[in-house]
Amino acid sequence: MRDLLLAFSQLESQLVEEHGVSLKEAMVLCSIGQETVTASMIVERTGLNPSHISKIIGAVEKRGLLKRQLGEKDKRQMLFTLTEDALTCLQGIRQKGVDVPEFLRPLFGGEKTID
């Protein structure tokens, strides 16, 4: 368990240092991508619980990485899209890749980086 937590901590430290986003923030950004989605879609795609997603959405929105808008058909529905800054961040992660800690490599087919 300790090794798993250390590996995720290393992965997150790298994301923060090189791209300015935490692991959970990167997961949320990746789950949205080029689409316009609801919070429940983000929950479904990330596997995180709604209260965590709500906090993460608030944090990335405050940093200008996420846009919120009302649904056209249902004004009670909130829709989320990425800003240009967020798209640039995702592009940087994809281009540079992320070094996968050795402990997690079997989950990625032994790959050293995630592209």
Side-chain angles (χ1 to χ4, degrees), residues 1-19:
M1 183 68 87
R2 179 180 170 274
D3 291 339
L4 180 62
L5 291 175
L6 284 172
F8 278 117
S9 179
Q10 289 173 346
L11 187 60
E12 181 161 49
S13 293
Q14 183 187 158
L15 281 167
V16 170
E17 186 177 309
E18 294 180 11
H19 304 287

Side-chain angles (χ1 to χ4, degrees), residues 1-113:
M1 183 68 87
R2 179 180 170 274
D3 291 339
L4 180 62
L5 291 175
L6 284 172
F8 278 117
S9 179
Q10 289 173 346
L11 187 60
E12 181 161 49
S13 293
Q14 183 187 158
L15 281 167
V16 170
E17 186 177 309
E18 294 180 11
H19 304 287
V21 292
S22 71
L23 182 58
K24 290 180 182 176
E25 291 170 344
M27 288 172 56
V28 167
L29 298 181
C30 288
S31 74
I32 297 171
Q34 299 285 336
E35 298 178 85
T36 298
V37 300
T38 63
S40 61
M41 290 173 79
I42 299 170
V43 166
E44 184 180 310
R45 291 175 178 182
T46 62
L48 299 172
N49 70 41
S51 64
H52 281 112
I53 291 298
S54 179
K55 290 175 186 173
I56 296 165
I57 286 173
V60 294
E61 186 177 24
K62 191 180 241 184
R63 292 184 23 224
L65 299 174
L66 200 60
K67 290 185 275 189
R68 178 187 302 243
Q69 62 192 41
L70 291 174
E72 289 184 24
K73 294 180 182 177
D74 183 351
K75 299 293 184 194
R76 297 170 296 173
Q77 188 177 48
M78 279 296 158
L79 301 173
F80 300 95
T81 55
L82 299 183
T83 64
E84 288 300 317
D85 287 345
L87 292 169
T88 300
C89 177
L90 278 181
Q91 183 179 15
I93 293 170
R94 287 186 182 117
Q95 286 177 345
K96 187 170 184 180
V98 179
D99 290 329
V100 177
E102 192 166 331
F103 187 81
L104 298 175
R105 287 185 190 157
L107 299 173
F108 297 92
E111 297 293 321
K112 287 185 158 189
T113 59

